[in-house]
Amino acid sequence: MPEPYDVRRAQDFRISFARRQAGEVREVPGGFLVLHGGYARSHEHNQLHIVGPADPEGLPALADEVMAFLPHRRITVHDEALGLLCVPALEGAGYGHMTEVLMVHTGPVPEATAADVVERELGPDPHGPLRRAVTAQQRRWMPDADERTVHDLVERRTARRAGAEEVLFLAAHDDSGEVASWADLYLEPATGIAQIEEVATAEPYLRRGYADAVLTAALRRAAAAGCGLRFLVADQDDWPLRWYGRRGFTAIGRAHAFSRF
């Protein structure tokens, strides 16, 4: 079972990752604002992180002040108790609320699958296999999005490379070599922590085991790197939470994300 301090270590890793991949960091009362002009449509890279003591009632005004030049508002409150206290004020100010569940892998490291899983880069080729697959799936998820939005949500993976000591993009392929499923793997061997994120499968390949292959490969690489704390973040109200639970992941804590458009 995870140790009590695993929540704090996972939170600290997420906070460090957000700072390190940012184009600019601005300190604000109770937290910091990350910005990245290269990916202006990516809320991940242009948001307010609350990490310390903060006034829940004053948070909407703080966000309006420090994010006045942005067309959106995105706030992540990393402390579970503080995040709950912020819900009434932020929902009253028109924000949507999502609970993010921190899940630690507590099961045995799975055996390798037969599927071909390799490390992939977006690379310079605009028609490379990983970029092609991620772009096509992003358009399926957001059919009304303009080209700039799709571009930023695909290409922001380049910024993530600065977030941890080692960042890998893993991809599983079908028999023809097309990318069927993919995931991010962030490794900090010095601290023994790994985060797995954005496990996704292209719609034509759903329910064929490709996501399992990618997740297994990520867990095996993390274990081989000496990362005893292997975690991910899942939406409390979405089905992947249960999917991860069946694959050896246990909920250990929560953060709270708020968005307004």
Side-chain angles (χ1 to χ4, degrees):
M1 292 299 292
E3 298 292 333
Y5 57 80
D6 283 349
V7 175
R8 183 71 261 172
R9 292 176 68 208
Q11 288 173 335
D12 288 346
F13 183 92
R14 295 187 72 200
I15 291 165
S16 172
F17 195 95
R19 285 182 173 275
R20 289 167 66 173
Q21 70 166 332
E24 179 184 355
V25 178
R26 298 181 185 179
E27 304 300 327
V28 304
F32 59 95
L33 176 70
V34 295
L35 300 168
H36 203 306
Y39 310 102
R41 304 290 179 87
S42 171
H43 295 182
E44 171 192 353
H45 292 91
N46 298 272
Q47 67 166 308
L48 182 60
H49 290 268
I50 299 300
V51 300
D55 171 23
E57 294 297 326
L59 201 50
L62 174 65
D64 284 343
E65 176 185 353
V66 302
M67 304 177 76
F69 53 92
L70 294 173
H72 70 271
R73 300 287 183 270
R74 168 79 178 193
I75 306 169
T76 297
V77 182
H78 290 271
D79 180 81
E80 181 173 357
L82 177 60
L84 286 173
L85 292 175
C86 292
V87 172
L90 286 168
E91 287 190 339
Y95 283 78
H97 171 223
M98 181 182 76
T99 301
E100 299 179 335
V101 182
L102 277 63
M103 305 187 77
V104 165
H105 188 252
T106 56
V109 176
E111 296 294 326
T113 69
D116 173 33
V117 180
V118 301
E119 298 167 18
R120 280 283 188 187
E121 299 290 340
L122 288 180
D125 181 2
H127 304 294
L130 180 57
R131 179 183 280 105
R132 184 168 62 245
V134 175
T135 300
Q137 187 57 42
Q138 193 66 56
R139 289 188 173 123
R140 294 186 190 102
W141 285 329
M142 303 177 67
D144 297 327
D146 59 29
E147 287 303 308
R148 176 60 191 275
T149 298
V150 172
H151 171 275
D152 287 3
L153 295 181
V154 173
E155 301 299 327
R156 64 185 178 180
R157 285 161 180 79
T158 303
R160 291 178 185 159
R161 294 195 61 81
E165 182 179 336
E166 188 174 3
V167 174
L168 303 177
F169 306 125
L170 305 179
H173 303 79
D174 68 6
D175 292 339
S176 70
E178 289 298 310
V179 171
S181 188
W182 55 91
D184 292 4
L185 175 61
Y186 314 139
L187 299 167
E188 284 287 340
T191 58
I193 301 175
Q195 181 180 3
I196 301 167
E197 275 306 316
E198 294 218 2
V199 179
T201 301
E203 285 185 13
Y205 299 97
L206 291 174
R207 291 177 290 278
R208 292 165 59 180
Y210 288 109
D212 269 307
V214 170
L215 182 62
T216 293
L219 289 169
R220 291 179 61 81
R221 282 167 168 78
C227 296
L229 174 58
R230 301 178 290 274
F231 81 97
L232 52 78
V233 179
D235 182 347
Q236 180 170 276
D237 298 321
D238 206 356
W239 67 264
L241 183 76
R242 299 179 294 279
W243 188 84
Y244 290 124
R246 294 193 297 271
R247 285 154 179 81
F249 284 85
T250 300
I252 60 167
R254 287 164 175 77
H256 296 270
F258 303 89
S259 298
R260 193 181 76 196
F261 305 97

